[in-house]
Amino acid sequence: MSASPLTPLDYIAEGYWQDFLVGRPIAGGIAYETELRACTLDESLESLQRIDTLLSQVRRDMIKSGMWDEMTLLVDEHYRNFMVFLAFYAGRVLAQQWQSKPHWYGQFELRKRYPELTLITDDFYQHMAVGYDNDSVVKEHLFFALEPIGLRLFGHIDRQFDPVQGGQVESGLYQAVSLRLPNTLSNDVHSVSELTAHKATTHQITESIVPSADSNTHVGTSQLNAPLNKPEEVSIGAEHNQANVVPPESENSIKPELTKVAQPTAKPASPVKNTSTPEMFTQLLVELDEITVPQPTGDVQYKQARKVLDQFEQHIAKQNKSRRQVIFSNDHNTAKNKALLLLQAAAEDGNTAAMLRLAMYELLGEGLTADSDNQKKSGVDWVNQAASKNDSRAQRLLSKMYYQGVGVSQDIDSGKYWLEQAADNGHAEAANLVKQWQQADMLLTTQKQEQHSTKRYQLLIGAIIAVALLIIVII
């Protein structure tokens, strides 16, 4: 296949990179150039982790100094160049993984090639996207690299980032690039695709939800991967096979609202990415499965509720729309509410997993609390209770909430505190982040010491020269 013709952005991207390699100043100047060089940009995936750490440090420094204003910084050429350079670099890393050349499209080329994309002319983050150097590039393979950078620097509960191609913006360059690798995903990325694959492997669900406002609507196999009976055809008698359904003690409260699947749901051929749920909650669902925390009580109720709620999550994950746009029948909403009541009972008994799952739904505005403000308060309270019981999953979630300002006022110091608590309680990701923060702090401290020593050395040399000249004058 013939290579696509070079675009103006291709020349700019190559110019930025060559200037950076040889130490020439980038046209217009670039913020944090010294810190970027300290990240060791070797075009590896690991270098994107170092960049994500730097971006988080930059955000924290801007907040502390009172200059954390997105619109002001976007008109500053140095900061714009900084973000554009990082986007170009992420494109290089991704293309390296595809063993191809990055090919950049500006809005003009994007509108011409992909008129179906809804681009906002004055949106800086939609300014450019990278593809691959061949004719097989399709819309789904485009990477708008500025979006995860913007989210890392400026995202919070009131500043949502919705990607051009729909779904949820990844929370960093490492995750965003890893999700676009050829063939397989990085094992280090806790994405909802891992959640779906994990659940498909460990929890063979033989019941599914009919996603319709009309309880008589039949959903085909293309949506749920298995043939369904229409709700009016479902019988709730003893003739149902009990091997793979909710335990008998919970049948009366939950099973009537579920639709029986004729055959077990097949494992997906490839992971399905959930683009409708915030990353911090998809991560939480993964951790609730993967990180075991002993529970003193309420475990049976929690498992019964989870069996039902997982079905809702699996269906929502397949929809290319926001959670609020996914409509369920009244019967299924009733089933969900009964499952939430089971969660609440388990949480009140002290089960931290139930507390966290219940908190997620409250913070998403899908819980049992009616008022939206009280929902957030209830969600935060449940997370705090679980965190106070030294559940590392809760402590990690609470740190994210403080860092991002979700349900609470943004507080970097509190975010760091709970991150360290999670690390101390054995949370591997938190421990890794704390280690990276410490390395970054040590690096910055060393650089400052070296700069200070250089200035002192220069002053000393200057003083010696001055004394020497004075001696010569006197002699």
Side-chain angles (χ1 to χ4, degrees):
M1 296 182 182
S2 61
S4 301
L6 294 177
T7 69
L9 278 178
D10 288 329
Y11 291 105
I12 295 173
E14 187 63 26
Y16 268 36
W17 182 240
Q18 292 304 321
D19 286 344
F20 184 81
L21 286 180
V22 300
R24 286 194 300 263
I26 290 174
I30 181 172
Y32 301 103
E33 183 175 354
T34 301
E35 290 80 0
L36 272 175
R37 295 189 181 281
C39 287
T40 312
L41 304 186
D42 54 6
E43 300 185 60
S44 66
L45 286 173
E46 290 74 18
S47 67
L48 297 181
Q49 291 180 311
R50 297 191 287 269
I51 288 175
D52 283 338
T53 300
L54 171 61
L55 287 172
S56 296
Q57 180 70 48
V58 169
R59 174 185 175 124
R60 185 171 65 175
D61 290 345
M62 289 192 299
I63 292 173
K64 285 185 175 180
S65 62
M67 60 178 291
W68 190 54
D69 185 278
E70 184 179 6
M71 291 301 101
T72 300
L73 291 173
L74 286 184
V75 298
D76 185 317
E77 190 175 12
H78 288 75
Y79 281 92
R80 286 173 64 93
N81 286 343
F82 170 63
M83 297 170 72
V84 169
F85 175 84
L86 291 180
F88 286 152
Y89 178 73
R92 293 187 69 89
V93 174
L94 182 58
Q96 181 91 350
Q97 298 296 319
W98 282 94
Q99 296 184 347
S100 180
K101 290 184 179 180
H103 197 67
W104 286 93
Y105 303 99
Q107 279 208 353
F108 174 79
E109 291 84 11
L110 289 169
R111 291 182 187 279
K112 185 176 179 180
R113 283 174 169 262
Y114 311 104
E116 68 275 17
L117 287 175
T118 305
L119 299 174
I120 302 173
T121 304
D122 59 353
D123 191 328
F124 172 72
Y125 306 103
Q126 299 178 10
H127 176 65
M128 58 192 196
V130 66
Y132 314 113
D133 192 14
N134 58 56
D135 290 336
S136 65
V137 177
V138 293
K139 180 184 67 173
E140 287 72 19
H141 290 166
L142 290 174
F143 178 30
F144 287 79
L146 286 170
E147 291 176 337
I149 297 170
L151 175 63
R152 195 80 169 194
L153 287 175
F154 304 113
H156 54 85
I157 193 168
D158 296 321
R159 174 58 172 106
Q160 301 296 322
F161 277 77
D162 298 317
V164 179
Q165 293 160 285
Q168 183 78 18
V169 173
E170 285 78 30
S171 61
L173 282 175
Y174 176 70
Q175 183 187 41
V177 169
S178 295
L179 290 174
R180 290 165 176 80
L181 297 182
N183 301 323
T184 59
L185 301 180
S186 168
N187 291 330
D188 294 331
V189 178
H190 293 286
S191 65
V192 76
S193 52
E194 290 178 314
L195 165 66
T196 308
H198 176 72
K199 288 183 182 293
T201 303
T202 59
H203 302 290
Q204 286 291 306
I205 303 297
T206 59
E207 295 171 322
S208 191
I209 305 296
V210 178
S212 171
D214 181 357
S215 61
N216 293 325
T217 300
H218 176 65
V219 180
T221 58
S222 62
Q223 287 182 292
L224 296 178
N225 299 322
L228 300 179
N229 297 318
K230 292 183 180 180
E232 63 267 25
E233 297 171 350
V234 176
S235 59
I236 318 282
E239 67 272 19
H240 278 188
N241 181 3
Q242 301 299 317
N244 294 309
V245 296
V246 181
E249 63 269 23
S250 64
E251 282 183 350
N252 292 334
S253 61
I254 297 176
K255 184 179 172 184
E257 282 74 24
L258 298 178
T259 301
K260 190 73 171 14
V261 174
Q263 299 174 5
T265 303
K267 295 181 183 180
S270 60
V272 179
K273 181 185 173 185
N274 184 342
T275 59
S276 59
T277 303
E279 184 272 339
M280 70 165 59
F281 295 129
T282 60
Q283 175 80 13
L284 172 65
L285 293 175
V286 172
E287 292 182 358
L288 287 173
D289 274 349
E290 293 186 349
I291 300 176
T292 302
V293 176
Q295 301 297 331
T297 185
D299 203 39
V300 172
Q301 292 167 307
Y302 170 70
K303 289 178 179 178
Q304 292 173 6
R306 190 190 72 175
K307 188 178 182 72
V308 176
L309 296 171
D310 280 352
Q311 297 174 52
F312 282 87
E313 293 304 319
Q314 287 166 4
H315 175 69
I316 292 172
K318 296 175 184 177
Q319 309 305 304
N320 188 24
K321 59 179 72 172
S322 69
R323 291 180 69 95
R324 293 185 182 277
Q325 292 177 311
V326 181
I327 300 174
F328 296 99
S329 70
N330 289 334
D331 286 344
H332 297 125
N333 285 327
T334 300
K336 182 177 180 181
N337 286 335
K338 289 181 178 179
L340 290 175
L341 287 171
L342 281 174
L343 269 188
Q344 182 172 278
E348 289 171 350
D349 283 345
N351 188 292
T352 58
M355 293 178 189
L356 291 173
R357 188 82 182 236
L358 188 61
M360 181 188 85
Y361 288 109
E362 295 285 6
L363 291 168
L364 286 170
E366 302 172 12
L368 297 169
T369 310
D371 180 75
S372 59
D373 290 336
N374 288 332
Q375 278 187 334
K376 289 181 181 178
K377 183 178 183 302
S378 174
V380 173
D381 287 345
W382 283 121
V383 178
N384 271 306
Q385 282 192 50
S388 68
K389 292 179 178 292
N390 285 332
D391 189 314
S392 66
R393 303 166 300 187
Q395 292 167 338
R396 177 67 184 111
L397 176 62
L398 193 54
S399 74
K400 291 181 181 180
M401 290 165 61
Y402 274 113
Y403 276 126
Q404 299 178 28
V406 174
V408 295
S409 298
Q410 192 169 49
D411 187 335
I412 301 301
D413 291 334
S414 294
K416 184 179 181 182
Y417 169 79
W418 285 110
L419 182 69
E420 291 171 341
Q421 292 297 306
D424 291 343
N425 280 303
H427 193 287
E429 182 202 26
N432 185 50
L433 286 172
V434 169
K435 181 179 179 181
Q436 290 182 26
W437 279 119
Q438 292 172 344
Q439 291 174 343
D441 287 340
M442 288 177 60
L443 181 62
L444 291 172
T445 301
T446 301
Q447 288 178 335
K448 290 177 181 178
Q449 290 175 344
E450 289 176 350
Q451 291 172 355
H452 183 65
S453 298
T454 301
K455 290 180 180 178
R456 290 182 61 186
Y457 178 74
Q458 291 172 341
L459 289 173
L460 179 61
I461 294 298
I464 293 173
I465 293 173
V467 171
L469 290 174
L470 181 61
I471 293 173
I472 292 173
V473 170
I474 295 174
I475 293 174

